[in-house]
């Protein structure tokens, strides 16, 4: 066993029995490389990554390859989910050096003196194929280049460091107008795949922050924009009906390899599902499609059943592979469903899921909706109601059978940022669907983070087997504040609200760039890496800066706190010029811009009656507005900030409605409130 056996990360521990002399990232490895003047081979991946497993099996488990790695390099393995600070920097370096996007596994060779890469790639096969050099033969070539071209390395380091530190000019303040929101809409529609839904071609990702922005714009415009409605609905339908969704167990896979949403990479990530849970709930609430509630309930059930730890936190991911084969757990041969289901149920499922068509995944079938249920029912001479009931029973039978297979591996790390995204999703779903169990699930996870991931007043980013590590990053703070605000809208708690205010204060104190605006990814006291990242662009998740700006605007208006509003404004003014040319890549920041241009509507309800609180909230939650915040506080709560303490019920149910800094007279009649909101 190598040094990784002492690590907490399940991904690093997967490599603990490699013959490679792996180090975790840290002073021991970095000092050794520098003292011996040996280049560093840095490998970054994560537990659910299919091609990480492939490269590990082909190269890192091979004694001959490992011997060469050990002789020539100091080898460092990093879990990108524990160290997103390192991953962000080295992904950017890879893109600058190779002129193409990176991915995982990320393979870099670093100058030990500067920790800057001089050669890099992603997956390398053991022998040359796919147009890629063989890893075994590549190793001595890289080592020889390091020895023979030291002057070139110095020039390379200088140029790369300059490129990494280059900052774009901020957008002109005059651009921060409604016209930029319109431009974002237009850019997204140009990128929209009108045939399959979604944005761009293969591989196809959900782009949640972009759809969320478009949904907010559609509703803000009075729901008259047909092109926007079509893009949103076709994309959500494509994902819900496609192979990116697990039609038996619930939840979404990370992305599909094709443009038609058919065949995914089969890993299930917590962050995707948290964001998609929020999105589908809001789309159903916003009357884009009532049928999306099925996706919401199935995904929430999967989360509570498979992804929540006994202590309350949510696990990170499910692997793409089982028994070493990608997608083996999820695929079907023709004989299995035919044997398990009645003739009538099989005919319906064959028509609905395409089991009567050509296999779509390695001579097997991966389930996706092949035709509308109405058409499948008609082909089987069934009524729609009978078909719906038959399909529910058939799915239960197939899922029970599937559960007997060898399950994909579980990464049981509990990550603060990813938990926050799921807490927000469960809170939104619980509030809108009036499901107390969803809200309680979110509360358990939030309280777990508050107790298990806070030490000596500091928030930490990761917990495994009771051990919390790595001081929290921007995403941890920004997403957690946002989740906390969703949670107190679902069910008030003075303790939780007090903590999210403390988190917001810490965010400003420890992460803000006071001079240029925006927030760094690492705190001012964090371990220094080669550059300090400050990105406003959305990646697989919404950017931490966008989440921070939106949440500070909302919280600032709820509390009447100008510090939060000013920090959000400075973040918007830090948008780079690129945002004017490709605003759809900054969809999260555009959502924040909308909140800045059109201040949020805050509704504070105070009441001594639990049934009134439930009834008034249920009425408000019938419709979705991206810029609406509604918090219901029982009258007996007294430990409140001044802005909320002054809004009390005085023995009756009262609603205080404000838009930005303009507040109306208190309302004591629910119908009057409903009429006002409708206007």
């Amino acid at each position: 066993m190598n040094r990784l056996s002492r690590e907490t990360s399940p991904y690093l521990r997967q490599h603990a029995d490699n013959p490679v002399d792996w180090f975790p990232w840290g002073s021991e490895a970095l000092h050794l490389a520098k003292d011996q003047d040996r280049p560093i081979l840095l490998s970054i991946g994560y537990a659910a990554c299919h091609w990480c497993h492939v490269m590990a099996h082909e190269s890192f488990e091979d004694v001959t390859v490992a011997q060469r790695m050990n002789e020539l390099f100091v080898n460092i393995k990093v879990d990108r989910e524990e160290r997103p600070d390192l991953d962000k920097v080295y992904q950017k370096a890879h893109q600058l050096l190779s002129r193409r996007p990176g991915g995982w596994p990320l393979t870099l060779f670093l100058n030990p003196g500067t920790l800057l890469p001089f050669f890099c790639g992603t997956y390398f096969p053991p022998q040359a194929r796919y147009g890629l050099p063989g890893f075994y033969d590549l190793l001595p070539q890289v080592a020889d280049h390091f020895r023979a071209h030291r002057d070139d390395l110095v020039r390379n380091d200088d140029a790369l460091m300059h490129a990494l530190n280059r900052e774009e000019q901020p957008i002109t303040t005059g651009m921060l107008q409604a016209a930029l929101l319109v431009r974002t809409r237009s850019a997204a529609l140009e990128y929209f795949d009108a045939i399959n839904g979604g944005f761009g071609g293969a591989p196809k990702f959900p782009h949640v922050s972009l759809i969320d922005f478009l949904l907010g714009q559609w509703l803000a415009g009075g729901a008259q924009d047909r092109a926007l409605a079509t893009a949103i609905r076709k994309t959500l339908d494509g994902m819900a009906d496609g192979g990116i969704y697990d039609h038996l167990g619930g939840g979404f896979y990370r992305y599909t390899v094709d443009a038609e949403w058919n065949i995914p990479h089969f890993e299930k990530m917590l962050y995707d599902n948290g964001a998609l849970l929020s999105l589908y709930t809001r789309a159903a609430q916003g009357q884009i499609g009532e049928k999306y509630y099925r996706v919401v309930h199935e995904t929430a059930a999967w989360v509570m059943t498979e992804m929540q730890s006994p202590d309350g936190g949510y696990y990170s991911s499910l692997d793409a592979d089982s028994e070493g084969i990608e997608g083996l757990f999820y695929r079907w041969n023709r004989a299995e469903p035919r044997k398990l289901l009645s003739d009538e149920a099989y005919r319906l499922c064959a028509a609905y899921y395409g089991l009567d068509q050509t296999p779509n995944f390695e001579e097997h079938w991966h389930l996706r909706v092949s035709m509308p249920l109405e058409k499948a029912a008609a082909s089987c001479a069934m009524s729609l109601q009978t078909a719906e009931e038959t399909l529910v029973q058939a799915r239960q039978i197939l899922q029970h059978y599937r559960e007997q297979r060898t399950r994909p591996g579980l990464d049981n790390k509990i990550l603060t940022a990813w938990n926050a995204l799921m807490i927000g999703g469960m809170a939104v779903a619980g509030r809108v669907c009036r499901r107390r169990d969803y809200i309680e699930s979110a509360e358990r996870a939030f309280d777990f983070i508050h107790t298990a991931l806070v030490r000596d007043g500091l928030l930490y980013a990761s917990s495994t087997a009771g051990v919390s590590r790595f001081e929290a990053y921007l995403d941890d703070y920004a997403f957690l504040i946002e989740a906390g605000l969703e949670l107190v809208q679902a069910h008030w708690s003075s303790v939780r609200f007090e903590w999210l205010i403390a988190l917001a204060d810490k965010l400003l104190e420890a992460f803000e760039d006071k001079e240029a605006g925006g927030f760094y990814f690492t705190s001012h006291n964090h371990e220094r890496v080669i550059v300090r990242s400050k990105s406003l662009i959305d990646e697989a998740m919404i950017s931490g800066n966008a989440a921070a700006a939106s949440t500070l605007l909302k919280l600032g208006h709820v509390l009447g706190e100008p510090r939060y509003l000013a920090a959000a404004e400075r973040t918007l003014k830090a948008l780079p010029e690129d945002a004017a040319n490709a605003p759809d890549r900054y969809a999260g920041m555009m959502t924040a811009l909308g909140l800045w241009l059109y201040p949020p509507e805050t509704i504070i309800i105070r009441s001594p009656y639990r049934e009134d609180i439930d009834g008034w909230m249920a009425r408000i939650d019938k419709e979705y507005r991206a810029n609406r915040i509604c918090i219901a506080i029982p009258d007996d709560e007294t430990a409140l900030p001044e802005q909320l303490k002054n809004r009390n019920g005085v023995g009756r149910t009262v609603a205080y409605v404000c838009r930005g800094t303009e507040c109306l007279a208190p309302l004591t009649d629910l119908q009057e409130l409903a009429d006002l909101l409708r206007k």
Side-chain angles (χ1 to χ4, degrees):
M1 303 293 280
N2 57 47
R3 294 168 186 81
L4 301 186
S5 63
R6 301 192 291 269
E7 291 297 301
T8 54
S9 160
Y11 172 66
L12 297 186
R13 291 177 68 86
Q14 287 174 2
H15 295 267
D17 59 354
N18 291 170
V20 178
D21 186 19
W22 288 117
F23 288 79
W25 181 275
S27 58
E28 181 185 5
L30 302 182
H31 288 155
L32 177 67
K34 190 172 184 179
D35 291 346
Q36 296 186 355
D37 195 30
R38 264 200 294 166
I40 294 168
L41 194 166
L42 175 62
S43 174
I44 303 177
Y46 61 100
C49 167
H50 171 69
W51 286 102
C52 299
H53 297 321
V54 172
M55 189 167 177
H57 178 68
E58 291 176 338
S59 295
F60 303 150
E61 295 172 10
D62 184 285
V63 173
T64 306
V65 175
Q67 183 177 2
R68 183 165 280 186
M69 290 172 65
N70 296 338
E71 288 173 354
L72 299 175
F73 303 98
V74 172
N75 302 291
I76 298 178
K77 180 60 92 166
V78 165
D79 182 343
R80 68 106 175 175
E81 296 168 0
E82 285 190 336
R83 296 301 306 264
D85 55 331
L86 296 172
D87 184 57
K88 283 180 180 293
V89 169
Y90 285 113
Q91 290 286 354
K92 185 176 181 180
H94 172 277
Q95 187 163 0
L96 289 168
L97 286 176
S98 65
R99 301 286 190 262
R100 62 179 183 273
W104 301 279
L106 184 64
T107 308
L108 309 106
F109 298 88
L110 312 184
N111 183 336
T114 62
L115 302 184
L116 288 161
F118 59 92
F119 185 80
C120 58
T122 52
Y123 162 79
F124 289 104
Q127 288 84 38
R129 62 173 184 263
Y130 313 131
L132 296 169
F135 192 60
Y136 182 76
D137 293 332
L138 176 68
L139 295 172
Q141 295 173 30
V142 171
D144 289 345
H145 179 83
F146 174 76
R147 301 291 174 208
H149 298 87
R150 303 306 288 266
D151 291 342
D152 290 343
L153 257 64
V154 172
R155 287 190 290 272
N156 167 83
D157 286 351
D158 290 343
L160 182 57
M161 182 61 83
H162 176 74
L164 287 169
N165 281 301
R166 185 171 59 237
E167 293 186 6
E168 288 191 62
Q169 287 296 313
I171 198 168
T172 58
T173 303
M175 285 294 298
L176 295 176
Q177 303 292 337
L180 189 54
L181 304 180
V182 175
R183 184 180 295 187
T184 308
R185 170 204 176 278
S186 300
L189 291 181
E190 289 177 12
Y191 189 35
F192 171 60
D193 180 348
I195 297 173
N196 305 298
F199 301 91
K204 184 162 278 184
F205 291 83
H207 293 287
V208 179
S209 59
L210 180 57
I211 307 168
D212 193 52
F213 166 80
L214 297 177
L215 178 61
Q217 291 296 299
W218 180 71
L219 291 168
Q224 302 302 313
D225 191 328
R226 291 186 178 180
L228 212 50
T230 297
I232 297 166
R233 187 173 288 114
K234 193 166 187 67
T235 299
L236 294 177
D237 285 351
M239 289 192 290
D241 292 341
I244 195 172
Y245 183 68
D246 183 352
H247 292 272
L248 299 183
F252 291 84
Y253 308 104
R254 184 163 164 253
Y255 67 95
T256 56
V257 298
D258 55 85
E260 294 78 29
W261 301 115
N262 265 333
I263 304 301
H265 263 313
F266 286 88
E267 62 263 42
K268 285 185 179 180
M269 313 301 292
L270 187 71
Y271 64 83
D272 283 325
N273 282 282
L276 285 162
L277 184 57
S278 295
L279 177 63
Y280 273 89
T281 304
R282 287 166 170 155
Q285 184 189 19
Q287 301 174 353
I288 279 282
E290 288 277 327
K291 65 180 181 179
Y292 299 144
Y293 281 122
R294 178 182 67 83
V295 172
V296 170
H297 292 306
E298 290 174 356
T299 301
W302 165 72
V303 170
M304 293 189 295
T305 302
E306 295 191 34
M307 301 303 289
Q308 189 155 29
S309 74
D311 294 329
Y314 299 117
Y315 299 130
S316 293
S317 63
L318 288 176
D319 207 329
D321 302 359
S322 51
E323 301 182 47
I325 300 174
E326 185 184 14
L328 181 64
F329 181 76
Y330 302 102
R331 68 190 191 185
W332 297 86
N333 61 38
R334 192 187 297 274
E336 290 170 318
R338 189 185 288 277
K339 177 182 67 176
L340 294 166
L341 303 175
S342 67
D343 290 344
E344 184 179 60
Y346 175 75
R347 284 198 302 274
L348 178 68
C349 286
Y352 186 61
Y353 288 126
L355 298 175
D356 55 358
Q357 299 175 17
T358 304
N360 63 354
F361 179 59
E362 298 179 354
E363 305 305 316
H364 288 74
W365 284 265
H366 172 57
L367 300 185
R368 85 278 188 258
V369 175
S370 180
M371 67 170 62
L373 187 57
E374 295 86 343
K375 188 175 178 181
S379 72
C380 298
M382 281 186 190
S383 69
L384 181 58
Q385 181 179 347
T386 301
E388 288 172 345
E389 294 169 354
T390 302
L391 189 61
V392 168
Q393 294 171 358
R395 280 201 297 247
Q396 290 172 346
I397 291 168
L398 294 175
Q399 184 181 4
H400 178 73
Y401 178 83
R402 194 179 77 174
E403 288 299 314
Q404 313 310 310
R405 298 172 177 170
T406 301
R407 295 188 56 79
L410 172 71
D411 185 336
N412 66 348
K413 285 197 314 295
I414 295 174
L415 298 170
T416 298
W418 296 13
N419 267 250
L421 290 171
M422 185 54 74
I423 290 165
M426 293 296 283
V428 170
R431 187 177 80 243
V432 172
C433 301
R434 319 313 296 172
R435 287 290 297 265
R436 180 62 195 157
D437 54 335
Y438 298 175
I439 297 170
E440 288 174 349
S441 171
E443 289 176 328
R444 289 179 60 219
F446 191 83
D447 293 344
F448 174 83
I449 293 173
H450 195 178
T451 55
L453 280 147
V454 175
R455 192 168 68 244
D456 299 328
L458 284 176
L459 179 66
Y460 283 78
S462 176
S463 175
T464 309
V467 179
S468 56
R469 299 185 66 192
F470 309 108
E471 286 192 29
Y473 308 101
L474 169 62
D475 289 0
D476 299 303
Y477 279 90
F479 296 168
L480 193 56
I481 298 164
E482 187 172 44
L485 190 54
E486 292 292 354
L487 197 53
V488 295
Q489 291 181 79
H491 181 233
W492 176 259
S493 164
S494 293
V495 172
R496 297 186 185 106
F497 192 68
E498 182 181 342
W499 190 44
L500 74 89
I501 294 172
L503 291 169
D505 290 342
K506 185 68 174 179
L507 175 69
L508 266 60
E509 172 197 331
F511 291 86
E512 190 182 10
D513 181 346
K514 305 291 184 183
E515 295 180 2
F519 297 90
Y520 292 107
F521 188 73
T522 54
S523 74
H524 301 321
N525 296 322
H526 196 274
E527 168 198 345
R528 290 290 179 259
V529 292
I530 52 175
V531 294
R532 195 176 179 198
S533 172
K534 188 182 74 172
S535 175
L536 285 76
I537 198 168
D538 295 335
E539 297 174 348
M541 299 181 288
I542 187 173
S543 79
N545 270 281
S550 289
T551 305
L552 289 171
L553 284 166
K554 292 176 183 177
L555 195 56
H557 282 289
V558 168
L559 294 172
E561 177 51 80
R563 290 185 303 121
Y564 297 164
L565 300 176
E569 182 175 337
R570 288 192 294 270
T571 304
L572 286 164
K573 290 179 178 178
L575 269 168
E577 285 183 339
D578 179 54
N581 302 316
D584 51 308
R585 300 174 68 206
Y586 298 82
M589 290 296 297
M590 297 305 147
T591 295
L593 176 60
L595 285 168
W596 184 62
L597 293 172
Y598 307 105
E601 175 185 83
T602 60
I603 306 169
I604 306 298
I605 297 173
R606 298 299 304 272
S607 177
Y609 309 114
R610 182 75 254 178
E611 61 273 16
D612 272 15
I613 286 178
D614 291 341
W616 286 49
M617 290 295 287
R619 171 60 191 83
I620 293 166
D621 286 333
K622 281 186 177 180
E623 56 188 16
Y624 171 60
R625 292 292 180 270
N627 66 338
R628 177 177 294 166
I629 307 148
C630 184
I631 299 175
I633 307 173
D635 253 4
D636 57 3
E637 291 280 359
T638 57
L640 300 172
E642 200 65 30
Q643 179 91 342
L644 299 181
K645 188 182 296 183
N646 293 333
R647 298 172 181 179
N648 52 65
V650 196
R652 57 182 178 172
T653 304
V654 182
Y656 297 85
V657 181
C658 300
R659 167 62 64 82
T661 57
E662 299 176 8
C663 295
L664 303 178
L667 300 172
T668 57
D669 182 80
L670 177 56
Q671 187 57 50
E672 194 177 348
L673 174 62
D675 292 342
L676 174 67
L677 296 181
R678 192 159 43 245
K679 293 174 184 177

